[in-house]
Amino acid sequence: MKRLFVMVVVVISLFTNIFGADKSFEKIEKNGKFIVGLDATFAPMGFRGEDGEIIGFDIDLAREVAKRWGGEVEFKPCEWDGILFDLNSGNIDMAWNGMTMTEERKRKVAFSEPYFTDGQLIFSRKEAKINKISELQGKVVGLQLGSSADYAVQKNEIFSKIKEVKKYATNVEALMDLEVGRTDAVVVDTVAGKYYNSKRDTLVFSDESLTKEYYGVAMRKNDKALIEKLNTTLNEMKEDGTFNKIYEKWFGKEEK
C-alpha cells in the first residue's frame, strides 16, 4: 500500500512538472503586457510611420491580441540578425515581424501556427529586369543579413554562380542600394519588396519566386502556455472576422 502511495505521488509530481510548471502566460497576465521584438523597417508588417510611431499589419494584430488579453503590448526594435538571441535571453516575449518558419529557426525557438503566406522575389531596376532565378548568375545580389532571403539564396543552386552577395542590416538599405546601381538585384520578401516599390515605382520584380514561405510568431520553446494562448486568440480573430479586417486594411481584399 505504501509503495502504491509513493508511485501515485511520483506520477502526480511528474504530471505537475510537465503540465503545470509553465507559467509563461500567467507571467504576461501578471505584468499586464508582453514585449514584441521586431525589425522596425519591415513595411508593411512592422515599421515607423511618418510621425515615428511603429505601425503595420503585425502591429495591429499584436495590439488586438493585447486588447483581448486585457493588457498592453510594447514594441522593441531589434537587430534582425540577433532577434532570436534577444528572445531566448528574455529581452522580449515574442518575435513578431513577418518571420518565416525555417527549419533552422525551429531548432532555436517555437512558433505559433502559421498566420501568413509569403515568398522571396527578385527585385531589379526597370531598365535591367531580372525575371528568373537563373539570371542572377554573374550578378551582384543584395539581401538582408540573417533574413529568409539570405537562407533562400544560400540553399539555391544559383548561389555558387552569383558574382557577389551584399548583406545589409535592413531590406530598405538593400533596396536603396539597388536603386542607385550598387547591386543588380535584391532578394526580399514579397510583401516588403512590393510595399517599398508601391511608394516609389522604381523597381520591377520577377515572375519566378525562390520560395513559398509561412510566417509565424516566434516564442521560447518552454513557453508552451503562451504559445497555446496566442494560437487560440489568433484563431478566434480569424473566426470573428477581425483578422480579415486588419488584413484588408494593409493589403486590400484578396482576389477570389
Side-chain angles (χ1 to χ4, degrees), residues 211-230:
T211 59
K212 183 176 181 180
E213 301 170 0
Y214 299 95
Y215 288 172
V217 182
M219 288 161 278
R220 288 177 286 274
K221 286 191 173 184
N222 290 335
D223 291 352
K224 299 184 187 302
L226 180 59
I227 296 165
E228 183 179 349
K229 183 64 177 179
L230 181 60

Side-chain angles (χ1 to χ4, degrees), residues 51-120:
D51 61 357
E53 182 183 355
I54 295 176
I55 58 174
F57 174 67
D58 283 339
I59 305 308
D60 285 352
L61 289 180
R63 284 188 172 134
E64 178 64 24
V65 167
K67 178 182 174 183
R68 294 182 183 220
W69 289 357
E72 298 178 351
V73 54
E74 176 186 336
F75 298 104
K76 186 173 183 178
C78 304
E79 289 294 330
W80 190 248
D81 193 41
I83 198 166
L84 296 187
F85 176 81
D86 283 325
L87 176 61
N88 284 323
S89 298
N91 297 326
I92 56 177
D93 298 306
M94 306 175 190
W96 193 343
N97 192 209
M99 179 173 283
T100 302
M101 302 165 65
T102 66
E103 292 305 315
E104 182 172 344
R105 286 171 177 161
K106 287 177 181 178
R107 287 193 285 270
K108 299 175 183 177
V109 296
F111 280 96
S112 67
E113 295 171 0
Y115 69 94
F116 197 92
T117 305
D118 195 41
Q120 298 295 324

Side-chain angles (χ1 to χ4, degrees), residues 165-225:
V165 175
K166 286 190 173 183
K167 299 185 180 184
Y168 299 82
T170 69
N171 287 313
V172 172
E173 291 175 90
L175 290 164
M176 288 177 69
D177 253 15
L178 171 62
E179 286 178 318
V180 298
R182 294 193 182 100
T183 58
D184 301 305
V186 165
V187 178
V188 62
D189 295 78
T190 301
V191 291
K194 286 186 176 181
Y195 186 84
Y196 177 91
N197 198 45
S198 71
K199 306 298 181 183
R200 305 164 78 94
D201 194 30
T202 55
L203 305 171
V204 289
F205 55 87
S206 60
D207 291 333
E208 221 172 37
S209 175
L210 273 77
T211 59
K212 183 176 181 180
E213 301 170 0
Y214 299 95
Y215 288 172
V217 182
M219 288 161 278
R220 288 177 286 274
K221 286 191 173 184
N222 290 335
D223 291 352
K224 299 184 187 302

